Amino acid sequence: QQPVQSPQAVILREGEDAVINCSSSKALYSVHWYRQKHGEAPVFLMILLKGGEQKGHEKISASFNEKKQQSSLYLTASQLSYSGTYFCGTEQDFNKFYFGSGTKLNVKP
Amino acid sequence: NAGVTQTPKFRVLKTGQSMTLLCAQDMNHEYMYWYRQDPGMGLRLIHYSVGEGTTAKGEVPDGYNVSRLKKQNFLLGLESAAPSQTSVYFCASSYSTSGLNTGELFFGEGSRLTVL
């Protein structure tokens, strides 16, 4: 039931772009994306709903393919502050969230 | 503006001891969750609640019990702690949107539990 995230880790230079993917074997009500810094709690980035509606971060975009139960997070012109571990959370049953194992992003100067 | 508060933040237990983790939220959220986070495993759902007086099992409920007697509080109990329960525990809360979706999850700062 846990969604599958890829890649597991990414190393970028400032200004470079990255894509993080999330795939579920079950139909989804919604997909959430969160970022977690070391030793801190996960912080909300974005929600993607069935039908294409999105809510969230101004500088980060994402897509949600309802038919394939897949979502991708697009990080453009990365900044040092983007470093952290990114998790997708999939709402497979109403109110019930399963998270992927995370993608560790390291942005270097 | 407290948000989601977890207590205690750190705890060391011996095998077989019991303890309770408290999660409190002041946002009047209906839904509350307990996750555990282990290296390389991401966040795994232990139990959750969709309202006062209700609880349900998640992915990894064995060895844990929960209660939601008040809307603002969600308690996670370990009756007989085992070393496999060494982990960081996160509580989260959320609200319902107008449609069939749940709003963003607000996480507490985490509780680090070590079982010796």
Side-chain angles (χ1 to χ4, degrees):
Chain A
Q1 288 168 321
Q2 274 192 304
V4 177
Q5 279 187 241
S6 63
Q8 290 185 326
V10 183
I11 299 175
L12 296 176
R13 294 286 181 188
E14 267 189 297
E16 292 181 339
D17 302 339
V19 180
I20 300 172
N21 301 303
C22 176
S23 179
S24 172
S25 59
K26 291 188 68 175
L28 304 175
Y29 286 91
S30 67
V31 178
H32 292 207
W33 286 96
Y34 295 81
R35 177 171 61 211
Q36 185 179 32
K37 304 271 186 180
H38 182 69
E40 298 179 5
V43 173
F44 168 76
L45 294 175
M46 182 163 292
I47 291 177
L48 299 109
L49 308 175
K50 289 173 68 172
E53 185 179 356
Q54 297 185 17
K55 302 177 184 178
H57 206 281
E58 291 182 356
K59 296 186 179 180
I60 295 173
S61 63
S63 64
F64 178 25
N65 186 324
E66 297 172 36
K67 290 183 179 178
K68 294 185 177 180
Q69 294 94 51
Q70 293 174 347
S71 178
S72 295
L73 186 71
Y74 305 97
L75 304 168
T76 57
S78 58
Q79 305 170 16
L80 294 176
S81 61
Y82 285 13
S83 291
T85 301
Y86 289 76
F87 293 99
C88 68
T90 54
E91 189 176 11
Q92 299 175 15
D93 298 301
F94 185 43
N95 308 139
K96 205 169 176 180
F97 287 90
Y98 295 92
F99 284 86
S101 56
T103 296
K104 187 172 285 190
L105 179 71
N106 187 2
V107 181
K108 296 188 173 183
Chain B
N1 191 17
V4 179
T5 304
Q6 292 180 227
T7 53
K9 290 187 171 41
F10 301 94
R11 185 75 188 268
V12 178
L13 288 177
K14 293 182 180 178
T15 298
Q17 286 185 319
S18 63
M19 75 158 296
T20 301
L21 296 175
L22 170 63
C23 176
Q25 53 95 4
D26 61 2
M27 296 173 283
N28 201 35
H29 284 170
E30 287 294 328
Y31 314 133
M32 296 187 75
Y33 307 84
W34 276 108
Y35 289 91
R36 61 177 288 174
Q37 186 173 37
D38 304 295
M41 300 290 291
L43 294 154
R44 291 185 292 169
L45 181 63
I46 305 172
H47 287 280
Y48 67 105
S49 169
V50 299
E52 182 179 313
T54 73
T55 62
K57 294 180 180 179
E59 300 171 82
V60 288
D62 294 342
Y64 305 95
N65 56 75
V66 289
S67 64
R68 182 106 182 262
L69 298 179
K70 294 183 178 180
K71 185 177 183 179
Q72 63 268 32
N73 295 337
F74 195 28
L75 278 64
L76 178 71
L78 286 72
E79 289 187 348
S80 180
S84 61
Q85 294 178 304
T86 293
S87 188
V88 180
Y89 292 85
F90 284 99
C91 175
S93 71
S94 186
Y95 55 93
S96 177
T97 62
S98 56
L100 278 177
N101 298 106
T102 306
E104 66 188 269
L105 271 62
F106 293 80
F107 285 87
E109 293 183 349
S111 297
R112 185 176 293 275
L113 175 65
T114 302
V115 183
L116 302 175

